[in-house]
Amino acid sequence: MNHPEVWILAAAAVFGIALYGLIVARDVLRQVIALKVMGSAVFLVLVAAAGPIDGAPDAIPLALVLTGIVIAVSASAFALTLLVRLAEATGSTSLDDGDGGGDGR
Amino acid sequence: MSALEWLAAALMAGGAFFYLAGTVGLLRFPDAPTRLHALTKADNVGLLLICAALALLAGSLRQALLLLLIWLLALLAATVSAHLIARHAIGDRDAAGDREA
Amino acid sequence: MDLAVDTLLALALVVLAGQSLVGGALFRAIVMFMVFGLTLALAWARLGSPDLAMAEAAIGAGVTGALLLVAHWRLQRLRGTPAPEAAPAASRARARLAAAVALLSAALVAALGLAAVQAVGPGGIAGQALAEALPATGLGNPITGVLVVFRNLDTVLEVAVLLAAYVASRAVLGDADAALPPAQDAPLADALVAVVAPLTVVVGLYLLKAGGQSPGGAFQGGAVLAACGVLLVLSGRLRAAPAGATLRLALVAGTVAFGAVGLGMLALGHPLLALPGTWAVYLIETAMLVSIAVTLALLFAGSAGLAGGRR
């Protein structure tokens, strides 16, 4: 892992793209995808910034990221269940009220 | 590099070429069944060449056999997925044809 | 040479993230997200962690992809028509705001990350202590050591979160089960399941056993078994059913085993969650494997339980 800067910059770009997608998306499914991608970018920063110990990668950030991956999938599963229920109840898959410049409630 | 490593490099280059051919087919062919045809054939042979190259470089017979198993499983998965996708695509096309008729 | 490979992978990640987020059909976005997950697994391998690579491929790309696809299918079924081809465009003001926020946040993340790279240097104190304390636990895989022995409070809570997701999903769905796609009746699909399901079980159990000494562990094994469960559900060999006693036991096994061992140690006068030996590690990992596999498969199926049955 000799050049973590490459990964850091890529993760920052992915985070920015995902945040843009999160704000711009109308459909909740796209927002779930955006949140997951943001999470993955953060994990990438965490692991890339970790220094090696005696040549082997530092295990503690790796374990934290593994925990994070499982928690992300749990949260996504629940969010998707809520989404399907929302569609059943209201007939729409969007949480927007309308095109009010993004802050209509 | 030793002769073995040269041979492995040649096999890997061949595998990469087959993958390239498969991707060209994916991009150039007009519809789903023809694209599947290009992908499954070219990609499976490409994977075989790459697995063969890695088996040559592997440390033990066990690793080489595991690589062969990986190729067989990938072959199985690719076959069934291609079959299911083609069924779906041809089913759509037939349904559209029935609607027009 | 290393730098070239890393740069190519990193670029691929950025491009795939863009493909999965902005515009295009929803189905395409989901598939691009799965490809992003697999490329991220390659990135984890490049960063020196096969454990994370396996976990990302199995959980991040595999299980999450299946969850997204089945949710998409359910939404389409409710809508009655195929999803619109492209996302409706957001207003200009919103897009401009989003772009500004995105650029600022990307800059912030880059600054934080690069500062961390400068500051951390070769290895932290906790990592050194871990390397010294690991042989005493009898484990060869430092990540398993951290997860089950050294920072196991995080892992207990993580398994509890998985259980909570299942309980919350049941609460939202009520007595109803979520719809499932009709079983595939293609003959090749039957053959695939007949060959792959036993192999998947072997791989899952091997990952559990190997996780003590080499890359692997309960999470990777559990995700592989959950994938087998998804395959069985999709081919009709498992169908939605009320949750039986065995299934409920399987769901809580991970949390209960871990919590019981941890609290038991406290009752015996040791620190909370101080494990009595390597056998405890394997016991807990096995219980977690069962819980993770069952919970993820049930979260996919959207039902209270699963029962065998030919369609």
Side-chain angles (χ1 to χ4, degrees):
Chain A
M1 201 185 39
N2 312 319
H3 354 265
E5 293 85 9
V6 173
W7 298 112
I8 303 276
L9 291 175
V14 169
F15 188 85
I17 294 175
L19 188 52
Y20 176 82
L22 176 65
I23 300 177
V24 160
R26 296 300 201 80
D27 198 88
V28 174
L29 199 62
R30 284 181 201 272
Q31 289 172 341
V32 169
I33 295 178
L35 281 171
K36 287 231 63 178
V37 176
M38 278 167 71
S40 297
V42 171
F43 296 154
L44 196 51
V45 171
L46 216 60
V47 172
I53 299 186
D54 301 329
D58 188 357
I60 295 183
L62 297 181
L64 288 178
V65 168
L66 188 50
T67 306
I69 291 177
V70 176
I71 295 187
V73 79
S74 315
S76 310
F78 181 50
L80 290 171
T81 313
L82 279 177
L83 169 61
V84 173
R85 198 70 196 89
L86 171 75
E88 272 175 30
T90 66
S92 102
T93 57
S94 172
L95 291 173
D96 288 347
D97 279 343
D99 205 324
D103 54 355
R105 212 53 195 103
Chain B
M1 296 205 297
S2 71
L4 200 66
E5 288 173 345
W6 276 112
L7 183 58
L11 283 174
M12 269 200 237
F17 168 74
F18 271 96
Y19 269 104
L20 182 66
T23 311
V24 168
L26 172 66
L27 294 172
R28 295 283 301 168
F29 278 145
D31 62 355
T34 48
R35 286 175 185 161
L36 283 170
H37 180 88
L39 274 180
T40 50
K41 296 200 172 29
D43 281 6
N44 286 335
V45 174
L47 187 63
L48 175 64
L49 290 175
I50 292 183
C51 282
L54 290 174
L56 282 179
L57 296 174
S60 61
L61 181 64
R62 176 173 174 270
Q63 284 182 5
L65 287 177
L66 280 177
L67 284 165
L68 177 66
L69 182 62
I70 288 174
W71 178 69
L72 286 172
L73 286 175
L75 198 62
L76 179 62
T79 308
V80 179
S81 329
H83 173 73
L84 290 173
I85 297 176
R87 264 175 64 116
H88 183 77
I90 296 182
D92 276 356
R93 201 167 56 184
D94 283 348
D98 287 342
R99 275 199 298 269
E100 285 166 9
Chain C
M1 198 51 219
D2 275 352
L3 185 59
V5 174
D6 282 352
T7 316
L8 216 56
L9 260 181
L11 260 164
L13 280 177
V14 176
V15 169
L16 283 168
Q19 291 288 311
S20 68
L21 286 163
V22 254
L26 193 51
F27 180 75
R28 185 170 172 277
I30 296 175
V31 171
M32 284 299 172
F33 172 74
M34 291 171 73
V35 180
F36 172 82
L38 289 174
T39 314
L40 191 56
L42 284 177
W44 294 136
R46 285 296 301 165
L47 283 167
S49 173
D51 291 73
L52 272 185
M54 280 192 273
E56 181 71 43
I59 307 176
V63 173
T64 312
L67 288 170
L68 286 170
L69 283 173
V70 83
H72 177 69
W73 181 86
R74 286 170 185 152
L75 290 175
Q76 224 166 287
R77 192 172 149 275
L78 283 175
R79 210 190 326 247
T81 58
E85 267 311 299
S91 74
R92 300 285 301 276
R94 191 167 175 178
R96 277 200 292 270
L97 170 72
V101 170
L103 278 171
L104 277 175
S105 62
L108 181 65
V109 170
L112 283 174
L114 291 172
V117 167
Q118 306 300 326
V120 167
I125 301 176
Q128 298 278 9
L130 170 67
E132 283 156 27
L134 189 64
T137 63
L139 294 171
N141 184 358
I143 295 185
T144 306
V146 172
L147 281 176
V148 188
V149 181
F150 297 115
R151 289 195 61 132
N152 45 14
L153 185 60
D154 295 337
T155 314
V156 174
L157 297 176
E158 169 187 7
V159 191
V161 163
L162 207 49
L163 181 61
Y166 169 78
V167 171
S169 298
R170 291 317 308 157
V172 166
L173 288 171
D175 285 328
D177 292 335
L180 277 174
Q184 288 290 335
D185 59 350
L188 276 190
D190 269 356
L192 176 73
V193 173
V195 170
V196 162
L199 276 174
T200 312
V201 172
V202 170
V203 169
L205 292 176
Y206 173 74
L207 281 173
L208 171 70
K209 174 251 174 202
Q213 306 301 329
S214 52
F219 294 102
Q220 292 88 342
V224 168
L225 288 177
C228 179
V230 167
L231 206 59
L232 292 174
V233 167
L234 284 174
S235 66
R237 280 175 172 73
L238 284 178
R239 53 179 173 75
T246 338
L247 205 67
R248 290 173 196 233
L249 196 62
L251 280 168
V252 301
T255 323
V256 164
F258 219 145
V261 171
L263 291 173
M265 294 307 289
L266 188 65
L268 288 174
H270 300 279
L272 175 67
L273 284 173
L275 295 186
T278 318
W279 62 269
V281 172
Y282 285 111
L283 171 73
I284 290 171
E285 285 241 297
T286 312
M288 284 202 301
L289 175 90
V290 172
S291 277
I292 292 166
V294 169
T295 312
L296 286 177
L298 285 177
L299 282 173
F300 170 82
S303 64
L306 289 171
R310 295 288 309 179
R311 28 171 181 81

